[in-house]
Amino acid sequence: MRIEIRHVSMTYQSPDGELEALRDVSFEVADGSFVSIVGPSGCGKSTLLSLIAGLERPTEGAILLDGEAVTAPTEKVGFMPQRDQLFEWRTIWRNVMLGPEIRGEDTKARQAAVRALLEQYALAGFAGKQPAQLSGGMRQRCALIRTLAVEPSVLLLDEPFSALDYQTRLAVSADISRIIRQTNKTAVLVTHDISEAISMSDRIVVLTHRPGRLRSVHDLDAFADVPVLERRAMPAFQAMFNTIWEELDVNVS
């Protein structure tokens, strides 16, 4: 599913007056591609995800999914937040089946599809466990399977690895990148980690300081078909990192 961000601006009303989060942002996410959004803290990265998800509506401009304007939350979009938000009182199976259960789609076919995901990613043996019995990385994989269980066309990931330690973060980001690509989803990741963005993405969108504006877009053709962890060893990796780092240090007025 293709995503189009067309001249999007977003202004919030606060007790102290208006707060301009985004200003005239435009870019596209091709069907089946993985795009990361990076930028300084407070530049509107997470706001963009909320707009794509239909949780908020832009002050100006439009968000389109396959040419249709997003005006409200849609079943086409799955959202994976910073924390796994697994319910501790539910088993892993009941957590990953939460979406179909709420939608009234807890069918044998859907159960079989979710079981296949658990088996594929070595979690089937933990279906009857509680979340507290799993490691942080396993919990994040469960959170992704829960998101995939409702079969969205678009996945939005809001810094989903930020709570993990460095080693676990590397492993889980590689796992989740592989899962997303194998399921052929269109994905948008918000992250503060430039290395993570380069490792996982097809393109990187760089925003300026608030109000967030489009600073640059980098196509990562040099890394095409290279696994996540192997990208970090490529000579082009450090060059791309340095380029984006310098861009993030520029406060465009």
Side-chain angles (χ1 to χ4, degrees):
M1 177 164 286
R2 183 166 54 100
I3 305 171
E4 296 174 72
I5 315 295
R6 292 187 177 176
H7 302 289
V8 164
S9 296
M10 186 66 183
T11 300
Y12 292 100
Q13 301 296 326
S14 72
D16 298 324
E18 293 185 342
L19 175 63
E20 190 179 13
L22 295 167
R23 181 185 296 173
D24 195 24
V25 175
S26 296
F27 64 90
E28 294 186 8
V29 180
D31 181 34
S33 68
F34 194 124
V35 170
S36 288
I37 303 173
V38 300
S41 295
C43 72
K45 299 185 297 295
S46 294
T47 296
L48 261 177
L49 289 193
S50 295
L51 294 172
I52 297 170
L55 301 175
E56 299 180 278
R57 297 186 66 175
T59 308
E60 296 180 12
I63 311 282
L64 290 85
L65 299 180
D66 276 352
E68 296 185 8
V70 176
T71 58
T74 168
E75 294 181 356
K76 298 175 182 178
V77 175
F79 200 106
M80 188 173 172
Q82 293 182 16
R83 304 285 178 173
D84 59 63
Q85 296 184 350
L86 298 177
F87 291 118
E88 300 295 339
W89 62 90
R90 295 175 71 106
T91 62
I92 293 305
W93 174 252
R94 293 188 64 213
N95 266 288
V96 296
M97 285 298 296
L98 181 62
E101 178 184 319
I102 291 173
R103 293 185 181 182
E105 299 172 356
D106 190 355
T107 62
K108 290 183 178 180
R110 187 59 60 89
Q111 290 176 13
V114 174
R115 283 196 188 94
L117 285 171
L118 288 171
E119 289 173 1
Q120 185 175 0
Y121 301 110
L123 290 166
F126 298 89
K129 303 291 187 181
Q130 304 298 130
Q133 296 174 278
L134 272 63
S135 68
M138 295 168 72
R139 289 176 65 116
Q140 285 301 97
R141 287 194 289 272
C142 287
L144 178 60
I145 292 171
R146 178 187 58 195
T147 305
L148 293 172
V150 293
E151 299 184 350
S153 300
V154 173
L155 284 174
L156 305 179
L157 303 98
D158 190 1
E159 298 192 68
F161 318 119
S162 59
L164 303 177
D165 64 79
Y166 180 72
Q167 292 297 331
T168 302
R169 183 170 184 152
L170 286 177
V172 173
S173 65
D175 284 346
I176 287 183
S177 175
R178 185 175 67 254
I179 293 170
I180 290 172
R181 292 185 185 282
Q182 288 175 343
T183 54
N184 198 35
K185 303 296 183 184
T186 303
V188 181
L189 168 71
V190 159
T191 179
H192 282 93
D193 190 326
I194 301 172
S195 295
E196 187 172 87
I198 300 171
S199 297
M200 298 181 70
S201 311
D202 301 311
R203 301 175 80 203
I204 298 176
V205 173
V206 182
L207 299 182
T208 68
H209 292 264
R210 190 174 66 228
R213 286 161 286 181
L214 188 65
R215 178 73 173 85
S216 62
V217 177
H218 298 275
D219 289 310
L220 303 183
D221 297 334
F223 303 95
D225 301 321
V226 180
V228 169
L229 296 181
E230 292 180 24
R231 291 188 181 193
R232 294 174 180 255
M234 296 174 64
F237 184 93
Q238 190 62 50
M240 179 62 70
F241 182 98
N242 292 341
T243 296
I244 295 174
W245 176 263
E246 290 173 2
E247 291 177 349
L248 291 177
D249 198 40
V250 176
N251 188 355
V252 180
S253 61

